[in-house]
Amino acid sequence: MAIELPKAKIPAKTQDPKYLILFGLPKVGKTTVLSTLDNNLILDFEQCTTYIDALKVEINTLKDLKEVVKAIKDAGKPYKYITIDTITAVEEMAKPLAIKLYQDSPMFSARYAEVKDVTQLPNGSGWTFLRQAVETLIDLIASATENIIICGHVKDSSLSENPEGSVKDLDLGGKLKRILSARSDAIGFVHRDEDSNLCINFGQNGEVLTGARPAHLANKDIIVAERNEDGTFTSHWDRIYPSIPKK
């Protein structure tokens, strides 16, 4: 088939971040803000949603995850968004899969047949298999929805170097973090403003390692859940996903 070259600019397909990474300090309200997004199924890998009303499913094993994804697909993929809460827990869950990937690879050595954690393999060779395993699980989840949100914590070293977290970074291994960041459409830091509104910072000011491809997010600090006097929140996720009708 002959390739037809464009003669004019082709309009953007969407401004929605289809692959969104969010992270923040402990107990700041990451899961709370995600619970205010309509039709967002939270896959709870850390039992973070116990005290929160939300569309949610607890995931305790890799078997749980596979069964939930299958059920979602069998139901016709009813959720517009699926949140992974948290990526740190997924990384831990991926370790048995990483071992299998290692055992099935040409790099396998009987000398290390009893290793239960690939990160313990010599010369850091096991990290490749862990990255592959994590990506496999993320891709499995992404296959069940059109928009995926990955929720994570701030790296402990960011807090230990400065208790207030002067440079806030996502808690993931270096190469895995770079790979996921490269795949993402936006990376945001969840925080509260002086009025306790839940906000997402997509700015690149040197204090938070964030950014975004969509122009409406880049270098912005956006109120996503506005706190009401009774302690509830009013959602403004249309500021993140323009396809959501404004209320």
Side-chain angles (χ1 to χ4, degrees):
M1 183 177 68
I3 296 174
E4 185 177 346
L5 297 175
K7 297 180 176 60
K9 290 184 179 180
I10 299 173
K13 292 182 179 179
T14 182
Q15 290 300 313
D16 288 356
K18 291 186 171 295
Y19 196 112
L20 174 64
I21 296 177
L22 299 178
F23 68 105
L25 299 170
K27 307 295 188 294
V28 73
K30 298 183 293 294
T31 305
T32 298
V33 74
L34 288 162
S35 73
T36 67
L37 175 59
D38 290 339
N39 204 21
N40 173 36
L41 177 66
I42 298 176
L43 300 183
D44 186 355
F45 290 84
E46 289 190 348
Q47 291 71 57
C48 301
T49 61
T50 302
Y51 302 103
I52 297 173
D53 295 336
L55 284 172
K56 57 187 178 181
V57 178
E58 284 193 6
I59 306 291
N60 297 303
T61 65
L62 187 55
K63 182 174 179 288
D64 288 346
L65 177 60
K66 291 178 178 178
E67 289 178 353
V68 168
V69 169
K70 182 180 184 303
I72 294 170
K73 290 181 176 179
D74 289 347
K77 301 183 182 180
Y79 305 106
K80 186 174 181 180
Y81 313 91
I82 294 180
T83 290
I84 296 172
D85 192 5
T86 66
I87 188 61
T88 305
V90 171
E91 187 177 23
E92 191 66 29
M93 188 175 287
K95 286 183 177 179
L97 176 58
I99 284 289
K100 186 176 186 309
L101 291 173
Y102 166 63
Q103 292 172 343
D104 293 342
S105 77
M107 289 180 61
F108 176 70
S109 169
R111 182 178 179 184
Y112 301 106
E114 300 304 316
V115 169
K116 302 299 182 185
D117 183 345
V118 290
T119 63
Q120 302 304 311
L121 292 173
N123 304 315
S125 58
W127 286 98
T128 296
F129 300 104
L130 182 57
R131 290 194 296 272
Q132 290 175 359
V134 171
E135 286 192 278
T136 296
L137 297 188
I138 292 174
D139 289 342
L140 174 67
I141 297 167
S143 70
T145 186
E146 58 183 288
N147 298 287
I148 188 165
I149 302 170
I150 296 175
C151 185
H153 300 304
V154 169
K155 187 175 290 187
D156 287 342
S157 60
S158 297
L159 299 176
S160 61
E161 290 167 7
N162 185 326
E164 296 185 5
S166 61
V167 177
K168 304 178 183 74
D169 196 3
L170 176 65
D171 186 15
L172 271 181
K175 287 188 178 179
L176 178 57
K177 179 176 65 182
R178 287 196 294 274
I179 290 169
L180 295 186
S181 297
R183 289 177 59 175
S184 72
D185 300 308
I187 306 172
F189 178 74
V190 179
H191 67 100
R192 290 181 186 260
D193 65 13
E194 59 186 12
D195 297 316
S196 291
N197 300 313
L198 289 164
C199 310
I200 303 177
N201 183 355
F202 295 99
Q204 295 177 316
N205 56 9
E207 294 183 357
V208 184
L209 301 181
T210 56
R213 291 191 181 104
H216 71 285
L217 300 179
N219 300 313
K220 303 288 177 55
D221 193 10
I222 299 171
I223 295 176
V224 176
E226 190 173 1
R227 191 177 188 279
N228 303 314
E229 290 185 3
D230 62 0
T232 60
F233 289 90
T234 299
S235 172
H236 296 292
W237 277 97
D238 56 285
R239 297 171 180 174
I240 307 298
Y241 295 97
S243 66
I244 296 176
K246 294 189 181 220
K247 295 181 180 179

PDB file of all heavy atoms in Angstrom, residues 62-78:
ATOM      1  N   LEU A  62      -0.682 -12.558  42.757  1.00  0.00           N
ATOM      2  CA  LEU A  62      -0.655 -12.477  41.300  1.00  0.00           C
ATOM      3  C   LEU A  62      -1.878 -13.186  40.713  1.00  0.00           C
ATOM      4  O   LEU A  62      -2.441 -12.741  39.702  1.00  0.00           O
ATOM      5  CB  LEU A  62       0.632 -13.112  40.781  1.00  0.00           C
ATOM      6  CG  LEU A  62       0.923 -12.989  39.291  1.00  0.00           C
ATOM      7  CD1 LEU A  62       0.902 -11.527  38.846  1.00  0.00           C
ATOM      8  CD2 LEU A  62       2.269 -13.629  38.960  1.00  0.00           C
ATOM      9  N   LYS A  63      -2.327 -14.236  41.365  1.00  0.00           N
ATOM     10  CA  LYS A  63      -3.535 -14.941  40.920  1.00  0.00           C
ATOM     11  C   LYS A  63      -4.746 -14.018  40.998  1.00  0.00           C
ATOM     12  O   LYS A  63      -5.574 -13.980  40.085  1.00  0.00           O
ATOM     13  CB  LYS A  63      -3.741 -16.184  41.785  1.00  0.00           C
ATOM     14  CG  LYS A  63      -4.948 -17.035  41.396  1.00  0.00           C
ATOM     15  CD  LYS A  63      -4.957 -18.318  42.218  1.00  0.00           C
ATOM     16  CE  LYS A  63      -6.167 -19.190  41.886  1.00  0.00           C
ATOM     17  NZ  LYS A  63      -7.418 -18.658  42.392  1.00  0.00           N
ATOM     18  N   ASP A  64      -4.844 -13.255  42.094  1.00  0.00           N
ATOM     19  CA  ASP A  64      -5.932 -12.274  42.230  1.00  0.00           C
ATOM     20  C   ASP A  64      -5.934 -11.318  41.046  1.00  0.00           C
ATOM     21  O   ASP A  64      -6.983 -11.029  40.460  1.00  0.00           O
ATOM     22  CB  ASP A  64      -5.769 -11.452  43.510  1.00  0.00           C
ATOM     23  CG  ASP A  64      -6.061 -12.242  44.775  1.00  0.00           C
ATOM     24  OD1 ASP A  64      -6.628 -13.337  44.678  1.00  0.00           O
ATOM     25  OD2 ASP A  64      -5.702 -11.743  45.856  1.00  0.00           O
ATOM     26  N   LEU A  65      -4.757 -10.802  40.720  1.00  0.00           N
ATOM     27  CA  LEU A  65      -4.642  -9.802  39.660  1.00  0.00           C
ATOM     28  C   LEU A  65      -5.108 -10.378  38.327  1.00  0.00           C
ATOM     29  O   LEU A  65      -5.892  -9.745  37.606  1.00  0.00           O
ATOM     30  CB  LEU A  65      -3.198  -9.313  39.547  1.00  0.00           C
ATOM     31  CG  LEU A  65      -2.918  -8.319  38.418  1.00  0.00           C
ATOM     32  CD1 LEU A  65      -3.765  -7.065  38.580  1.00  0.00           C
ATOM     33  CD2 LEU A  65      -1.440  -7.960  38.369  1.00  0.00           C
ATOM     34  N   LYS A  66      -4.652 -11.567  37.988  1.00  0.00           N
ATOM     35  CA  LYS A  66      -5.025 -12.171  36.717  1.00  0.00           C
ATOM     36  C   LYS A  66      -6.535 -12.418  36.647  1.00  0.00           C
ATOM     37  O   LYS A  66      -7.166 -12.197  35.607  1.00  0.00           O
ATOM     38  CB  LYS A  66      -4.255 -13.474  36.515  1.00  0.00           C
ATOM     39  CG  LYS A  66      -2.764 -13.265  36.271  1.00  0.00           C
ATOM     40  CD  LYS A  66      -2.031 -14.594  36.113  1.00  0.00           C
ATOM     41  CE  LYS A  66      -0.556 -14.365  35.822  1.00  0.00           C
ATOM     42  NZ  LYS A  66       0.196 -15.642  35.706  1.00  0.00           N
ATOM     43  N   GLU A  67      -7.107 -12.850  37.771  1.00  0.00           N
ATOM     44  CA  GLU A  67      -8.548 -13.122  37.793  1.00  0.00           C
ATOM     45  C   GLU A  67      -9.359 -11.835  37.661  1.00  0.00           C
ATOM     46  O   GLU A  67     -10.387 -11.808  36.974  1.00  0.00           O
ATOM     47  CB  GLU A  67      -8.920 -13.858  39.085  1.00  0.00           C
ATOM     48  CG  GLU A  67      -8.417 -15.300  39.119  1.00  0.00           C
ATOM     49  CD  GLU A  67      -8.759 -15.998  40.423  1.00  0.00           C
ATOM     50  OE1 GLU A  67      -9.259 -15.321  41.350  1.00  0.00           O
ATOM     51  OE2 GLU A  67      -8.535 -17.223  40.509  1.00  0.00           O
ATOM     52  N   VAL A  68      -8.904 -10.761  38.303  1.00  0.00           N
ATOM     53  CA  VAL A  68      -9.607  -9.481  38.215  1.00  0.00           C
ATOM     54  C   VAL A  68      -9.546  -8.924  36.795  1.00  0.00           C
ATOM     55  O   VAL A  68     -10.557  -8.461  36.249  1.00  0.00           O
ATOM     56  CB  VAL A  68      -9.028  -8.466  39.222  1.00  0.00           C
ATOM     57  CG1 VAL A  68      -9.542  -7.059  38.935  1.00  0.00           C
ATOM     58  CG2 VAL A  68      -9.387  -8.864  40.649  1.00  0.00           C
ATOM     59  N   VAL A  69      -8.387  -8.980  36.183  1.00  0.00           N
ATOM     60  CA  VAL A  69      -8.248  -8.482  34.811  1.00  0.00           C
ATOM     61  C   VAL A  69      -9.138  -9.277  33.869  1.00  0.00           C
ATOM     62  O   VAL A  69      -9.809  -8.706  32.997  1.00  0.00           O
ATOM     63  CB  VAL A  69      -6.771  -8.532  34.352  1.00  0.00           C
ATOM     64  CG1 VAL A  69      -6.667  -8.271  32.849  1.00  0.00           C
ATOM     65  CG2 VAL A  69      -5.945  -7.511  35.117  1.00  0.00           C
ATOM     66  N   LYS A  70      -9.167 -10.591  34.045  1.00  0.00           N
ATOM     67  CA  LYS A  70     -10.031 -11.422  33.196  1.00  0.00           C
ATOM     68  C   LYS A  70     -11.501 -11.045  33.396  1.00  0.00           C
ATOM     69  O   LYS A  70     -12.267 -10.947  32.429  1.00  0.00           O
ATOM     70  CB  LYS A  70      -9.827 -12.903  33.520  1.00  0.00           C
ATOM     71  CG  LYS A  70     -10.663 -13.841  32.644  1.00  0.00           C
ATOM     72  CD  LYS A  70     -10.435 -15.300  32.976  1.00  0.00           C
ATOM     73  CE  LYS A  70     -11.197 -16.210  32.030  1.00  0.00           C
ATOM     74  NZ  LYS A  70     -12.653 -15.949  32.018  1.00  0.00           N
ATOM     75  N   ALA A  71     -11.902 -10.835  34.658  1.00  0.00           N
ATOM     76  CA  ALA A  71     -13.292 -10.465  34.940  1.00  0.00           C
ATOM     77  C   ALA A  71     -13.651  -9.132  34.303  1.00  0.00           C
ATOM     78  O   ALA A  71     -14.764  -8.961  33.778  1.00  0.00           O
ATOM     79  CB  ALA A  71     -13.510 -10.412  36.453  1.00  0.00           C
ATOM     80  N   ILE A  72     -12.722  -8.177  34.327  1.00  0.00           N
ATOM     81  CA  ILE A  72     -12.958  -6.869  33.717  1.00  0.00           C
ATOM     82  C   ILE A  72     -13.162  -7.019  32.212  1.00  0.00           C
ATOM     83  O   ILE A  72     -14.074  -6.440  31.616  1.00  0.00           O
ATOM     84  CB  ILE A  72     -11.794  -5.906  34.015  1.00  0.00           C
ATOM     85  CG1 ILE A  72     -11.733  -5.594  35.515  1.00  0.00           C
ATOM     86  CG2 ILE A  72     -11.943  -4.605  33.210  1.00  0.00           C
ATOM     87  CD1 ILE A  72     -10.478  -4.851  35.928  1.00  0.00           C
ATOM     88  N   LYS A  73     -12.316  -7.816  31.581  1.00  0.00           N
ATOM     89  CA  LYS A  73     -12.434  -8.029  30.142  1.00  0.00           C
ATOM     90  C   LYS A  73     -13.724  -8.766  29.801  1.00  0.00           C
ATOM     91  O   LYS A  73     -14.411  -8.427  28.825  1.00  0.00           O
ATOM     92  CB  LYS A  73     -11.217  -8.797  29.630  1.00  0.00           C
ATOM     93  CG  LYS A  73      -9.926  -7.995  29.648  1.00  0.00           C
ATOM     94  CD  LYS A  73      -8.762  -8.807  29.109  1.00  0.00           C
ATOM     95  CE  LYS A  73      -7.495  -7.995  29.043  1.00  0.00           C
ATOM     96  NZ  LYS A  73      -6.343  -8.764  28.537  1.00  0.00           N
ATOM     97  N   ASP A  74     -14.054  -9.779  30.618  1.00  0.00           N
ATOM     98  CA  ASP A  74     -15.287 -10.530  30.368  1.00  0.00           C
ATOM     99  C   ASP A  74     -16.526  -9.640  30.509  1.00  0.00           C
ATOM    100  O   ASP A  74     -17.557  -9.893  29.875  1.00  0.00           O
ATOM    101  CB  ASP A  74     -15.387 -11.708  31.343  1.00  0.00           C
ATOM    102  CG  ASP A  74     -14.380 -12.813  31.033  1.00  0.00           C
ATOM    103  OD1 ASP A  74     -13.786 -12.784  29.943  1.00  0.00           O
ATOM    104  OD2 ASP A  74     -14.181 -13.691  31.894  1.00  0.00           O
ATOM    105  N   ALA A  75     -16.408  -8.599  31.343  1.00  0.00           N
ATOM    106  CA  ALA A  75     -17.524  -7.668  31.550  1.00  0.00           C
ATOM    107  C   ALA A  75     -17.571  -6.577  30.489  1.00  0.00           C
ATOM    108  O   ALA A  75     -18.427  -5.679  30.553  1.00  0.00           O
ATOM    109  CB  ALA A  75     -17.424  -7.038  32.937  1.00  0.00           C
ATOM    110  N   GLY A  76     -16.669  -6.633  29.517  1.00  0.00           N
ATOM    111  CA  GLY A  76     -16.669  -5.647  28.436  1.00  0.00           C
ATOM    112  C   GLY A  76     -15.880  -4.390  28.736  1.00  0.00           C
ATOM    113  O   GLY A  76     -16.136  -3.342  28.149  1.00  0.00           O
ATOM    114  N   LYS A  77     -14.898  -4.488  29.652  1.00  0.00           N
ATOM    115  CA  LYS A  77     -14.035  -3.358  30.019  1.00  0.00           C
ATOM    116  C   LYS A  77     -14.860  -2.132  30.422  1.00  0.00           C
ATOM    117  O   LYS A  77     -14.816  -1.080  29.775  1.00  0.00           O
ATOM    118  CB  LYS A  77     -13.084  -2.998  28.870  1.00  0.00           C
ATOM    119  CG  LYS A  77     -12.164  -4.117  28.433  1.00  0.00           C
ATOM    120  CD  LYS A  77     -11.212  -3.645  27.341  1.00  0.00           C
ATOM    121  CE  LYS A  77     -10.325  -4.759  26.846  1.00  0.00           C
ATOM    122  NZ  LYS A  77      -9.401  -4.303  25.776  1.00  0.00           N
ATOM    123  N   PRO A  78     -15.637  -2.226  31.503  1.00  0.00           N
ATOM    124  CA  PRO A  78     -16.553  -1.141  31.870  1.00  0.00           C
ATOM    125  C   PRO A  78     -15.892   0.087  32.497  1.00  0.00           C
ATOM    126  O   PRO A  78     -16.547   1.126  32.607  1.00  0.00           O
ATOM    127  CB  PRO A  78     -17.482  -1.812  32.879  1.00  0.00           C
ATOM    128  CG  PRO A  78     -16.655  -2.880  33.507  1.00  0.00           C
ATOM    129  CD  PRO A  78     -15.769  -3.384  32.405  1.00  0.00           C
TER     130      PRO A  78
END
